[in-house]
Amino acid sequence: MSLNELMNEISNFVSERDWEQFHNPKNIAMSISIEAGELLECLQWDSPTALEIISDEKRLNQLADEIADVQIYLLRMCSMLEIDPVENSKRKLLLNKKKYPAEEFSGSSRKYNS
């Protein structure tokens, strides 16, 4: 399934339930934040490595579900605002490459200061 097909499937899911009335940019942004908080909650009080998560099927599935919730809301927002998520991500990645040149920021976690 392509990303556009997935976005259409999400829109159809919303439409079939008559949920468009609740979907405005503020509500979707709030839902993204709430679901991101639930993703964080899966890791609260623990700092597992990626390998530790991958080897724990229950935990991996729990995280995958929360990631999917965030992703679905992000794609819903893109659909509502007519933002192409792939082109938008490419555009932002180019801006970040200029903002954080590899030769200057390699191995560093410091924040860019304008």
Side-chain angles (χ1 to χ4, degrees), residues 42-70:
C42 294
L43 299 167
Q44 187 177 20
W45 313 121
D46 197 3
S47 298
T49 65
L51 187 56
E52 289 170 331
I53 294 170
I54 291 167
S55 33
D56 182 342
E57 186 176 355
K58 182 180 177 187
R59 188 172 212 178
L60 180 63
N61 288 334
Q62 183 183 27
L63 283 163
D65 284 349
E66 297 306 334
I67 289 167
D69 287 340
V70 172

Side-chain angles (χ1 to χ4, degrees), residues 3-111:
L3 194 53
N4 284 335
E5 290 170 333
L6 178 58
M7 290 172 69
N8 286 335
E9 189 164 328
I10 293 165
S11 292
N12 289 338
F13 178 89
V14 170
S15 181
E16 289 168 354
R17 287 152 184 81
D18 191 28
W19 288 350
E20 290 98 342
Q21 60 187 316
F22 310 114
H23 286 201
N24 58 59
K26 178 197 67 96
N27 287 352
I28 298 300
M30 288 173 52
S31 295
I32 292 166
S33 181
I34 290 164
E35 294 299 340
E38 290 179 13
L39 177 60
L40 272 173
E41 188 177 27
C42 294
L43 299 167
Q44 187 177 20
W45 313 121
D46 197 3
S47 298
T49 65
L51 187 56
E52 289 170 331
I53 294 170
I54 291 167
S55 33
D56 182 342
E57 186 176 355
K58 182 180 177 187
R59 188 172 212 178
L60 180 63
N61 288 334
Q62 183 183 27
L63 283 163
D65 284 349
E66 297 306 334
I67 289 167
D69 287 340
V70 172
Q71 195 169 13
I72 288 167
Y73 278 123
L74 284 169
L75 292 175
R76 178 69 181 140
M77 178 81 84
C78 286
S79 181
M80 291 170 56
L81 300 178
E82 299 178 1
I83 295 171
D84 180 317
V86 173
E87 291 305 314
N88 192 49
S89 295
K90 287 161 77 174
R91 178 194 62 79
K92 182 61 176 173
L93 186 55
L94 283 173
L95 290 173
N96 286 343
K97 284 180 179 182
K98 291 177 186 172
K99 189 174 182 178
Y100 298 100
E103 59 277 356
E104 187 179 342
F105 286 87
S106 181
S108 172
S109 64
R110 70 186 166 89
K111 182 78 175 148

